[in-house]
Amino acid sequence: ETGVTQSPTHLIKTRGQQVTLRCSSQSGHNTVSWYQQALGQGPQFIFQYYREEENGRGNFPPRFSGLQFPNYSSELNVNALELDDSALYLCASSSGTSLGDEQFFGPGTRLTVL
Amino acid sequence: SQQGEEDPQALSIQEGENATMNCSYKTSINNLQWYRQNSGRGLVHLILIRSNEREKHSGRLRVTLDTSKKSSSLLITASRAADTASYFCATALMRGGADGLTFGKGTHLIIQP
């Protein structure tokens, strides 16, 4: 059974640029959620994708967008990067949309915006 | 916004001692989960306790939930150096999964050898 993987591990961008982060969900999981974790803070929910549709969204602006593919892998896109977007971005997969089951997190992508 | 608040923010104990961390939250929940994070890496799920449960055990972990006080505690018994990490509580709201998990700021636990 393959766990959740994310790429790249680290990324440095400049303000105003666009970035795409990728996540491969655990085998058999059809739901992916994305979280942003600023330094010294807990993760904050960005959005959730279920069967290629956005299923829920946290308090993030529209420049944060995502995709889920037929194989349930997912992308997080952030446009017009701001300095405050510097954070660890985590994706989590699960076998359904309910949060009554365990969420499996990937190792994260650390994004630095200069 | 962060629904859960862990207490203390940091905790340093000797190896072999027990570590207790507390979490308070604000709104009604479906369940509460505890996660561990090592050095800014991915989160590892430790234990989930549902709103109709009061206590749960998993190995050296013991979690309690008091919905009347909107609080939970995580006890790690016989701590080991490898338990050094940040611990987060996360709540799943009654409204369902599409809201995502709401995390606190975490407790940084240091186990002194």
Side-chain angles (χ1 to χ4, degrees):
Chain A
E1 187 175 87
T2 307
V4 179
T5 60
Q6 291 185 245
S7 63
T9 305
H10 294 87
L11 200 53
I12 299 175
K13 290 283 194 176
T14 55
R15 194 170 47 183
Q17 287 188 312
Q18 177 266 342
V19 70
T20 297
L21 310 181
R22 295 178 174 83
C23 171
S24 291
S25 59
Q26 184 154 315
S27 176
H29 287 181
N30 55 17
T31 303
V32 174
S33 301
W34 285 90
Y35 291 82
Q36 180 196 66
Q37 185 178 21
L39 198 62
Q41 302 292 315
Q44 288 204 302
F45 176 64
I46 303 175
F47 43 54
Q48 180 187 82
Y49 276 82
Y50 171 67
R51 293 186 176 178
E52 303 177 59
E53 298 278 338
E54 185 178 293
N55 187 53
R57 190 177 184 93
N59 189 27
F60 280 80
R63 59 190 185 84
F64 285 78
S65 63
L67 283 173
Q68 187 180 30
F69 300 100
N71 66 354
Y72 303 130
S73 65
S74 177
E75 286 182 356
L76 164 65
N77 299 291
V78 186
N79 293 323
L81 283 167
E82 300 177 359
L83 297 180
D84 285 349
D85 295 333
S86 294
L88 181 69
Y89 288 85
L90 298 161
C91 78
S93 75
S94 59
S95 57
T97 59
S98 165
L99 293 175
D101 299 309
E102 181 176 348
Q103 302 278 302
F104 291 82
F105 280 82
T109 292
R110 185 161 298 282
L111 173 65
T112 301
V113 182
L114 303 176
Chain B
S1 63
Q2 318 238 210
Q3 139 115 304
E5 291 288 337
E6 288 92 342
D7 174 63
Q9 288 188 343
L11 178 63
S12 180
I13 60 174
Q14 294 295 125
E15 194 167 19
E17 295 181 336
N18 296 341
T20 300
M21 288 158 270
N22 302 296
C23 168
S24 60
Y25 57 92
K26 298 174 185 173
T27 61
S28 295
I29 62 172
N30 178 281
N31 65 71
L32 186 145
Q33 305 177 31
W34 284 90
Y35 287 83
R36 184 185 75 224
Q37 185 176 42
N38 291 86
S39 300
R41 296 177 61 83
L43 294 160
V44 175
H45 182 269
L46 296 176
I47 198 164
L48 180 153
I49 185 164
R50 302 186 191 283
S51 59
N52 61 352
E53 298 175 310
R54 292 297 166 258
E55 188 171 311
K56 207 161 181 181
H57 297 255
S58 176
R60 295 184 294 113
L61 306 180
R62 173 179 166 249
V63 168
T64 62
L65 179 64
D66 186 335
T67 53
S68 66
K69 294 181 179 178
K70 291 186 170 61
S71 67
S72 173
S73 68
L74 170 67
L75 169 67
I76 303 174
T77 60
S79 63
R80 305 167 182 170
D83 295 329
T84 295
S86 292
Y87 291 81
F88 294 90
C89 69
T91 51
L93 301 182
M94 294 294 286
R95 291 196 299 263
D99 293 313
L101 291 172
T102 304
F103 287 83
K105 293 184 179 181
T107 291
H108 185 50
L109 175 65
I110 298 171
I111 308 298
Q112 309 272 10

